[in-house]
Structure formats: structure tokens, C-alpha cells
Amino acid sequence: MKLTNEEQSMLQGENGKAVQKAMQILATLGKIYHAECLIPVTSVQVAGVSYDNLGEAGLEFLEEMVEGGGKARVLSTLNPAGMDISNWEALGIDSTFAHNQQRVIDAYTRMGIIPSCTCTPYLAGNLPHFGEHIAWAESSAVCFANSVLGARTNRDGGPSALASALTGRTPAYGYHLEENRQPELTVHVTQPDFSPLSVNNTWWFGALGKAIGLRFEGNDEQKILYITGIHLATMEDLKAFSASLATYCGAALFHMHGITPEASSVPQPSIDIKVSDEEIEEASLSMQTASAADVDFISLGCPHLSINEISHLAKLLEEKKVVREFWITTARSTKEIADRAGYTKSIEASGAKLVADTCCVVAPIKNRFHAMATDSAKACYYGSSKNAQLTRFLPFEQVIQLALIPPDNEKNQ
Ligand code: F3S
């Protein structure tokens, strides 16, 4: 791989040990993927933030990078942590975990990475434009950035995204190259006649992502899909769909006819499949492993909720009382708008928790809850695989309704 003089000097350690280590990571990655050179990036999203996933070894690596003088050279933001940084006690997080989580955040902050702690950086000040080369980790955000925004990123891992933050470079391979962004398979679907602006549609888009994923189960070859039949999708729908497709299909890029920016300039593949309504229904049913009575944990906000979703939720909870543990997760910057608009007050008066910086998957809650209700297909996957929870997959408003009904009244649902 060809390196510029500046990149060579980074590799030789002339900019400090952390930059040298970062350049070694990128050079190795470039070699594995036969990249011809590195390219500049202008935005980074770093994952690997929850102490629950990082552990002491991950934290030591970060602290070494701090000691080695690592400093972000481009706009760099952080994925969710394992707790609400300023309100962790209310979530039942223990103080040892909180101390270690804070060390992680401090390490990133000392490297100049903005502690935004959200998986929706595009709603929190890190919004790349069409064609911009970026280096993002966080599969749902990668799929959204490539597909919906038309930015160019691979599915970076935590260390490679950090390396890009410290050098402002990424190897030129994969989705950075135009020829690797062409669709290979057309997927026809029929969008139901649902109310176009309903917050409940995220549920259908999540089920669709899983239904498509089930078609490719056991097949490691990842194809770029060209999806037809969707006439209307809000940003929130595409956020849910990107998260689900990335989870169940490993997708980092899709094109959607009439909706995503590259769909009109790429050829629609002649090889095609149809994903039927029955398959979408089956995908949805496969995430119903818990009865309503089983549910002891309710979660909305995977990916993190937008202010529009929070405003709907606040209205639905007004003057109501929730009777099960209910976390609503979002970016801190979104929560601050919710505070100012009075949404937080309505939500918290109901007993639900409007939580920033974390989510139901990366918080250390394994074995605390038996069954989770959510509108998120991604949360169902990780709730079951990481946290050993049963799941109940419902539309947004039904999730809220369930939070209001005591388990004893739910026996027959
Ligand atoms: Fe975000 Fe956590 Fe879901 S990081 S996409 S809310 S699993």
C-alpha cells in the first residue's frame, strides 16, 4: 500500500506512539483488503465504549493510546456507554462499574473524541454529506450513513475507527470505492397501507429487515440489495430498517427505489426475489418469545430515539403511570431538547426513565430482567443473544400501552 510522506512519518513514530500504533492498525487492515492507499476521512464514529464489552484489557489499550499522545484529528464522536453518565444510580448500575465506565469516557475525552455516547451521531452533530469519506463503527449507523446519507464508510471495528480518528485516514477499500457500491440483487416488497407518519411503522421496517435476513441465513456472502415497493419512509423508519438489516443480514449498504440517494443512479439488478407479507409476519412472530405477562422490562430507543419519537411518547404517557421498568434511550443532546420542551417531565412523572448515553443492549443488565418488550428488531436479537431475555416485539404505541398494564391483567394477551 502506497503511503504519503506524512503517513510514512506517522508510521515511523514521528507523531508519537499512539499515532504510530494507529497507523500500524490501518496499514495492516489495508494490506489484508488490498487497499492501494489511505484516504482522508472527515468524520469518525468510535464504538467499543461500554465497559461491559471492553473490560479491563480494552480500557488498558485506551489508556495506553492516551499516554502515547493520541489526539483526534477530525470530528470524532462516541457510541453509547454502559450507563447514563450523570444518572447511573437511577438505572441500578453499581458503583464499581460506574467508576470503570467513567475511566473509559475520560480516556476517549482526553483523546479529543466527543463523548456524545449515541448510536445516532447523525442526529447529534456528526452528519456527513453525500459522497463524504468517513470511518464509522456501529453497524446501524454505518448502514444508515452509507444508504440514507450516501456517505462512504466500511463497517469499521472499534480499534480501526479509533485509528482513523487519530490519523484522519482510512484504507481505500470496500464501500469507499464506487465499484463496490453497486446493487447485486433486487428485493421486491409490498408496503402496507399504513398511516404515513405513524411512529408505529418502525416496527414493520424492523420486521422487514429480519425477513430479508432470514432469506440469507447460513449464507455468508453479503449482497448489496436494491429494494423496491417502499413509497414512503421517514428518517425514523430508515433508522429502524438500517439497524435491523445490519443485524440480521450484515448489510452495510442498501439502495431503496425512490428513497435513497444513489438508487436513481445505479442499475436495478435483473436477479430478483420477492419478500412476501407472510415472511414479514413470520419474522415478526419469531421475535414473540415472551407473553405479555412475562414482560418485566420495556425498552424504546434502539437505535436512540429522535426528538419526534420522544414527543409522541411524552403525549402518550401524559398523566399515566407505568407499572413495569421502562427505559427510553436517546442521545444526551436530544434529551436536553426534551428537557426544555417539557417532554422529560411528562415521561418521568409517569415513572418511565428517559435515559441518555446508553441502551438496553450495552448496559450491564444481563440476568436482571427476564423478558423485554420493544419495537426494535435489533434489540430483540441482542436481548436474546447477549442478555438471555425473552422478547415481545410490538409497534411503538403498543409497547407503551403494555408498560401501563400490570402483568396480572395480561394473562390472556
Ligand atoms: Fe444503538 Fe444500542 Fe441499539 S447502540 S442501535 S441502541 S443496541
Side-chain angles (χ1 to χ4, degrees):
M1 188 170 66
K2 268 193 236 130
L3 297 181
T4 62
N5 290 343
E6 191 190 359
E7 290 160 359
Q8 283 289 359
S9 61
M10 288 188 206
L11 192 59
Q12 281 153 14
E14 289 170 26
N15 297 73
K17 281 196 175 142
V19 170
Q20 183 177 34
K21 178 86 197 153
M23 196 46 96
Q24 286 166 349
I25 292 170
L26 298 179
T28 306
L29 204 58
K31 201 170 165 195
I32 293 169
Y33 288 101
H34 308 293
E36 285 183 6
C37 60
L38 298 175
I39 46 171
V41 291
T42 39
S43 156
V44 172
Q45 168 77 0
V46 177
V49 184
S50 173
Y51 184 77
D52 200 31
N53 300 335
L54 272 181
E56 207 48 35
L59 179 52
E60 274 170 23
F61 169 74
L62 292 179
E63 288 178 338
E64 266 172 37
M65 295 301 262
V66 174
E67 291 312 311
K71 283 279 175 226
R73 291 179 177 227
V74 295
L75 171 64
S76 303
T77 46
L78 267 194
N79 230 33
M83 63 186 197
D84 185 313
I85 308 297
S86 52
N87 200 19
W88 49 269
E89 281 159 313
L91 303 182
I93 304 291
D94 78 62
S95 58
T96 307
F97 180 91
H99 171 73
N100 288 325
Q101 182 63 76
Q102 192 57 55
R103 286 170 61 208
V104 173
I105 302 292
D106 290 347
Y108 280 124
T109 307
R110 285 171 67 195
M111 286 190 274
I113 295 166
I114 298 163
S116 48
C117 297
T118 180
C119 50
T120 57
Y122 46 90
L123 299 180
N126 190 352
L127 176 65
H129 61 70
F130 184 88
E132 188 169 343
H133 290 280
I134 63 175
W136 281 18
E138 170 47 44
S139 64
S140 66
V142 164
C143 193
F144 187 94
N146 266 327
S147 314
V148 181
L149 304 178
R152 273 97 173 101
T153 180
N154 287 315
R155 255 173 94 137
D156 275 291
S160 69
L162 178 61
S164 289
L166 304 188
T167 59
R169 307 285 200 283
T170 195
Y173 74 97
Y175 298 105
H176 289 285
L177 307 180
E178 217 53 45
E179 64 265 28
N180 296 331
R181 300 178 66 86
Q182 304 301 309
E184 297 156 290
L185 180 71
T186 299
V187 179
H188 301 286
V189 299
T190 308
Q191 186 173 24
D193 243 351
F194 44 40
S195 164
L197 296 178
S198 166
V199 282
N200 290 322
N201 303 343
T202 52
W203 170 80
W204 182 83
F205 278 94
L208 174 62
K210 179 162 187 184
I212 295 173
L214 290 176
R215 276 294 187 98
F216 300 105
E217 223 173 16
N219 182 351
D220 287 342
E221 202 193 335
Q222 165 60 76
K223 288 203 179 335
I224 299 174
L225 307 177
Y226 186 99
I227 298 160
T228 71
I230 306 291
H231 307 294
L232 197 119
T234 61
M235 181 280 293
E236 286 83 1
D237 298 336
L238 295 169
K239 169 165 75 76
F241 182 63
S242 297
S244 181
L245 199 67
T247 299
Y248 291 102
C249 217
L253 167 65
F254 64 88
H255 302 290
M256 193 178 273
H257 180 77
I259 304 277
T260 61
E262 283 162 272
S264 57
S265 57
V266 292
Q268 181 176 332
S270 54
I271 305 171
D272 62 349
I273 59 167
K274 181 172 168 27
V275 172
S276 67
D277 296 351
E278 291 71 30
E279 285 173 273
I280 298 168
E281 176 71 19
E282 269 170 39
S284 166
L285 286 175
S286 69
M287 293 181 269
Q288 308 287 22
T289 54
S291 71
D294 284 334
V295 170
D296 56 356
F297 179 53
I298 310 238
S299 170
L300 286 173
C302 172
H304 276 172
L305 292 190
S306 69
I307 193 65
N308 181 38
E309 290 172 309
I310 293 174
S311 81
H312 278 275
L313 200 149
K315 281 187 204 101
L316 291 166
L317 285 179
E318 232 165 54
E319 298 182 14
K320 307 259 177 36
K321 286 282 172 218
V322 306
V323 291
R324 311 184 203 213
E325 182 78 4
F326 186 2
W327 291 12
I328 297 147
T329 51
T330 192
R332 180 155 304 278
S333 53
T334 307
K335 183 176 180 293
E336 281 168 6
I337 300 170
D339 294 350
R340 193 175 302 165
Y343 303 149
T344 308
K345 206 168 161 205
S346 307
I347 291 168
E348 291 185 346
S350 77
K353 293 169 183 163
L354 184 59
V355 176
D357 310 320
T358 189
C359 77
C360 62
V361 170
V362 297
I365 56 170
K366 187 169 182 184
N367 299 325
R368 243 178 87 186
F369 303 109
H370 164 65
M372 170 175 64
T374 178
D375 72 332
S376 166
K378 175 172 179 176
C380 286
Y381 179 88
Y382 287 103
S384 147
S385 62
K386 177 175 182 277
N387 289 334
Q389 292 162 342
L390 299 174
T391 59
R392 191 154 182 86
F393 178 63
L394 298 170
F396 192 89
E397 291 182 4
Q398 287 185 33
V399 173
I400 298 166
Q401 289 308 321
L402 188 57
L404 303 171
I405 305 169
D408 288 351
N409 296 358
E410 285 290 336
K411 293 278 188 287
N412 299 322
Q413 292 199 34

mmCIF file of all heavy atoms in Angstrom, residues 79-80 118-120 138-141 243 301-304 329 358-362 376 378-379 382, ligand 1:
data_model
loop_
_atom_site.group_PDB
_atom_site.id
_atom_site.type_symbol
_atom_site.label_atom_id
_atom_site.label_comp_id
_atom_site.label_asym_id
_atom_site.label_seq_id
_atom_site.Cartn_x
_atom_site.Cartn_y
_atom_site.Cartn_z
ATOM 1 N N ASN A 79 -19.971 6.059 20.507
ATOM 2 C CA ASN A 79 -21.146 5.189 20.628
ATOM 3 C C ASN A 79 -21.640 5.173 22.086
ATOM 4 O O ASN A 79 -20.938 5.643 22.979
ATOM 5 C CB ASN A 79 -20.729 3.768 20.187
ATOM 6 C CG ASN A 79 -21.686 3.197 19.178
ATOM 7 O OD1 ASN A 79 -22.250 3.920 18.368
ATOM 8 N ND2 ASN A 79 -21.873 1.889 19.215
ATOM 9 N N PRO A 80 -22.814 4.586 22.327
ATOM 10 C CA PRO A 80 -23.313 4.536 23.705
ATOM 11 C C PRO A 80 -22.378 3.801 24.683
ATOM 12 O O PRO A 80 -21.680 2.867 24.318
ATOM 13 C CB PRO A 80 -24.637 3.779 23.563
ATOM 14 C CG PRO A 80 -25.081 4.104 22.184
ATOM 15 C CD PRO A 80 -23.822 4.127 21.368
ATOM 16 N N THR A 118 -23.846 8.179 21.594
ATOM 17 C CA THR A 118 -25.074 7.812 20.880
ATOM 18 C C THR A 118 -24.747 7.012 19.625
ATOM 19 O O THR A 118 -23.692 7.213 19.010
ATOM 20 C CB THR A 118 -25.911 9.048 20.512
ATOM 21 O OG1 THR A 118 -27.089 8.615 19.812
ATOM 22 C CG2 THR A 118 -25.152 10.035 19.637
ATOM 23 N N CYS A 119 -25.676 6.144 19.251
ATOM 24 C CA CYS A 119 -25.535 5.363 18.014
ATOM 25 C C CYS A 119 -26.228 6.082 16.852
ATOM 26 O O CYS A 119 -26.290 5.553 15.744
ATOM 27 C CB CYS A 119 -26.126 3.976 18.200
ATOM 28 S SG CYS A 119 -27.788 4.021 18.881
ATOM 29 N N THR A 120 -26.783 7.269 17.114
ATOM 30 C CA THR A 120 -27.358 8.089 16.040
ATOM 31 C C THR A 120 -26.564 9.392 15.945
ATOM 32 O O THR A 120 -27.127 10.482 16.165
ATOM 33 C CB THR A 120 -28.859 8.373 16.292
ATOM 34 O OG1 THR A 120 -28.981 9.000 17.575
ATOM 35 C CG2 THR A 120 -29.691 7.108 16.268
ATOM 36 N N GLU A 138 -20.211 0.927 14.452
ATOM 37 C CA GLU A 138 -21.631 0.876 14.857
ATOM 38 C C GLU A 138 -22.447 0.532 13.613
ATOM 39 O O GLU A 138 -22.733 1.388 12.761
ATOM 40 C CB GLU A 138 -22.115 2.173 15.517
ATOM 41 C CG GLU A 138 -23.647 2.268 15.729
ATOM 42 C CD GLU A 138 -24.247 1.010 16.347
ATOM 43 O OE1 GLU A 138 -23.666 0.465 17.302
ATOM 44 O OE2 GLU A 138 -25.300 0.535 15.854
ATOM 45 N N SER A 139 -22.829 -0.735 13.565
ATOM 46 C CA SER A 139 -23.404 -1.277 12.336
ATOM 47 C C SER A 139 -24.670 -0.546 11.877
ATOM 48 O O SER A 139 -24.864 -0.334 10.683
ATOM 49 C CB SER A 139 -23.691 -2.766 12.518
ATOM 50 O OG SER A 139 -24.667 -2.954 13.523
ATOM 51 N N SER A 140 -25.532 -0.141 12.800
ATOM 52 C CA SER A 140 -26.786 0.517 12.379
ATOM 53 C C SER A 140 -26.489 1.883 11.770
ATOM 54 O O SER A 140 -27.097 2.283 10.769
ATOM 55 C CB SER A 140 -27.740 0.668 13.571
ATOM 56 O OG SER A 140 -27.214 1.569 14.529
ATOM 57 N N ALA A 141 -25.533 2.599 12.372
ATOM 58 C CA ALA A 141 -25.184 3.939 11.878
ATOM 59 C C ALA A 141 -24.435 3.846 10.552
ATOM 60 O O ALA A 141 -24.615 4.689 9.667
ATOM 61 C CB ALA A 141 -24.344 4.673 12.920
ATOM 62 N N ALA A 243 -30.855 -0.560 11.168
ATOM 63 C CA ALA A 243 -30.394 -1.333 12.330
ATOM 64 C C ALA A 243 -30.741 -2.808 12.158
ATOM 65 O O ALA A 243 -29.925 -3.699 12.426
ATOM 66 C CB ALA A 243 -31.034 -0.788 13.601
ATOM 67 N N GLY A 301 -35.952 2.869 21.991
ATOM 68 C CA GLY A 301 -34.744 3.670 21.770
ATOM 69 C C GLY A 301 -33.572 2.864 21.286
ATOM 70 O O GLY A 301 -32.432 3.131 21.644
ATOM 71 N N CYS A 302 -33.828 1.873 20.430
ATOM 72 C CA CYS A 302 -32.763 1.122 19.764
ATOM 73 C C CYS A 302 -33.094 1.102 18.273
ATOM 74 O O CYS A 302 -33.995 0.384 17.885
ATOM 75 C CB CYS A 302 -32.647 -0.303 20.300
ATOM 76 S SG CYS A 302 -31.492 -1.325 19.349
ATOM 77 N N PRO A 303 -32.374 1.902 17.456
ATOM 78 C CA PRO A 303 -31.393 2.927 17.802
ATOM 79 C C PRO A 303 -32.022 4.062 18.615
ATOM 80 O O PRO A 303 -33.249 4.175 18.711
ATOM 81 C CB PRO A 303 -30.934 3.443 16.436
ATOM 82 C CG PRO A 303 -31.243 2.366 15.458
ATOM 83 C CD PRO A 303 -32.475 1.696 15.986
ATOM 84 N N HIS A 304 -31.159 4.904 19.167
ATOM 85 C CA HIS A 304 -31.606 6.015 20.006
ATOM 86 C C HIS A 304 -32.752 6.802 19.359
ATOM 87 O O HIS A 304 -32.746 7.058 18.146
ATOM 88 C CB HIS A 304 -30.424 6.962 20.269
ATOM 89 C CG HIS A 304 -29.564 6.513 21.410
ATOM 90 N ND1 HIS A 304 -28.363 7.098 21.736
ATOM 91 C CD2 HIS A 304 -29.753 5.519 22.335
ATOM 92 C CE1 HIS A 304 -27.854 6.505 22.799
ATOM 93 N NE2 HIS A 304 -28.671 5.536 23.176
ATOM 94 N N THR A 329 -34.345 5.322 25.599
ATOM 95 C CA THR A 329 -32.940 5.720 25.451
ATOM 96 C C THR A 329 -32.734 6.630 24.242
ATOM 97 O O THR A 329 -33.330 6.439 23.181
ATOM 98 C CB THR A 329 -32.028 4.482 25.382
ATOM 99 O OG1 THR A 329 -32.512 3.577 24.394
ATOM 100 C CG2 THR A 329 -31.963 3.767 26.706
ATOM 101 N N THR A 358 -26.779 5.548 26.933
ATOM 102 C CA THR A 358 -26.677 4.103 26.971
ATOM 103 C C THR A 358 -27.859 3.462 26.254
ATOM 104 O O THR A 358 -28.646 4.157 25.610
ATOM 105 C CB THR A 358 -26.559 3.609 28.432
ATOM 106 O OG1 THR A 358 -26.247 2.213 28.442
ATOM 107 C CG2 THR A 358 -27.844 3.851 29.225
ATOM 108 N N CYS A 359 -27.992 2.150 26.342
ATOM 109 C CA CYS A 359 -29.155 1.469 25.758
ATOM 110 C C CYS A 359 -29.371 0.128 26.429
ATOM 111 O O CYS A 359 -28.563 -0.314 27.253
ATOM 112 C CB CYS A 359 -28.975 1.309 24.249
ATOM 113 S SG CYS A 359 -27.848 -0.023 23.787
ATOM 114 N N CYS A 360 -30.452 -0.538 26.028
ATOM 115 C CA CYS A 360 -30.840 -1.798 26.664
ATOM 116 C C CYS A 360 -29.876 -2.938 26.321
ATOM 117 O O CYS A 360 -29.937 -3.994 26.934
ATOM 118 C CB CYS A 360 -32.249 -2.172 26.232
ATOM 119 S SG CYS A 360 -32.377 -2.453 24.448
ATOM 120 N N VAL A 361 -29.000 -2.724 25.343
ATOM 121 C CA VAL A 361 -28.078 -3.787 24.942
ATOM 122 C C VAL A 361 -26.702 -3.607 25.581
ATOM 123 O O VAL A 361 -26.105 -4.564 26.070
ATOM 124 C CB VAL A 361 -27.952 -3.849 23.395
ATOM 125 C CG1 VAL A 361 -26.829 -4.768 22.962
ATOM 126 C CG2 VAL A 361 -29.278 -4.300 22.787
ATOM 127 N N VAL A 362 -26.186 -2.380 25.605
ATOM 128 C CA VAL A 362 -24.811 -2.203 26.104
ATOM 129 C C VAL A 362 -24.742 -1.943 27.614
ATOM 130 O O VAL A 362 -23.657 -1.997 28.191
ATOM 131 C CB VAL A 362 -24.042 -1.095 25.323
ATOM 132 C CG1 VAL A 362 -23.890 -1.463 23.868
ATOM 133 C CG2 VAL A 362 -24.698 0.268 25.471
ATOM 134 N N SER A 376 -37.993 -2.716 18.627
ATOM 135 C CA SER A 376 -36.744 -2.804 17.870
ATOM 136 C C SER A 376 -36.351 -4.253 17.568
ATOM 137 O O SER A 376 -36.113 -5.046 18.490
ATOM 138 C CB SER A 376 -35.621 -2.140 18.665
ATOM 139 O OG SER A 376 -34.365 -2.495 18.123
ATOM 140 N N LYS A 378 -33.540 -5.103 16.278
ATOM 141 C CA LYS A 378 -32.144 -5.260 16.713
ATOM 142 C C LYS A 378 -32.086 -5.558 18.208
ATOM 143 O O LYS A 378 -31.333 -6.422 18.655
ATOM 144 C CB LYS A 378 -31.330 -3.993 16.380
ATOM 145 C CG LYS A 378 -29.903 -4.067 16.918
ATOM 146 C CD LYS A 378 -29.013 -2.937 16.458
ATOM 147 C CE LYS A 378 -27.606 -3.090 17.071
ATOM 148 N NZ LYS A 378 -26.655 -2.089 16.589
ATOM 149 N N ALA A 379 -32.880 -4.838 18.987
ATOM 150 C CA ALA A 379 -32.882 -5.068 20.442
ATOM 151 C C ALA A 379 -33.346 -6.491 20.753
ATOM 152 O O ALA A 379 -32.851 -7.115 21.699
ATOM 153 C CB ALA A 379 -33.767 -4.050 21.139
ATOM 154 N N TYR A 382 -30.240 -8.842 20.259
ATOM 155 C CA TYR A 382 -29.224 -8.778 21.314
ATOM 156 C C TYR A 382 -29.811 -9.038 22.697
ATOM 157 O O TYR A 382 -29.120 -9.542 23.582
ATOM 158 C CB TYR A 382 -28.475 -7.438 21.266
ATOM 159 C CG TYR A 382 -27.531 -7.407 20.083
ATOM 160 C CD1 TYR A 382 -27.839 -6.702 18.921
ATOM 161 C CD2 TYR A 382 -26.345 -8.129 20.106
ATOM 162 C CE1 TYR A 382 -26.995 -6.702 17.826
ATOM 163 C CE2 TYR A 382 -25.490 -8.137 19.011
ATOM 164 C CZ TYR A 382 -25.815 -7.420 17.879
ATOM 165 O OH TYR A 382 -24.970 -7.440 16.792
HETATM 166 FE FE1 F3S B 1 -27.888 1.738 19.457
HETATM 167 FE FE2 F3S B 1 -27.711 0.131 21.482
HETATM 168 FE FE3 F3S B 1 -29.420 -0.361 19.562
HETATM 169 S S1 F3S B 1 -26.037 1.067 20.457
HETATM 170 S S2 F3S B 1 -28.540 0.521 17.723
HETATM 171 S S3 F3S B 1 -29.457 1.403 20.961
HETATM 172 S S4 F3S B 1 -28.076 -1.832 20.503
#
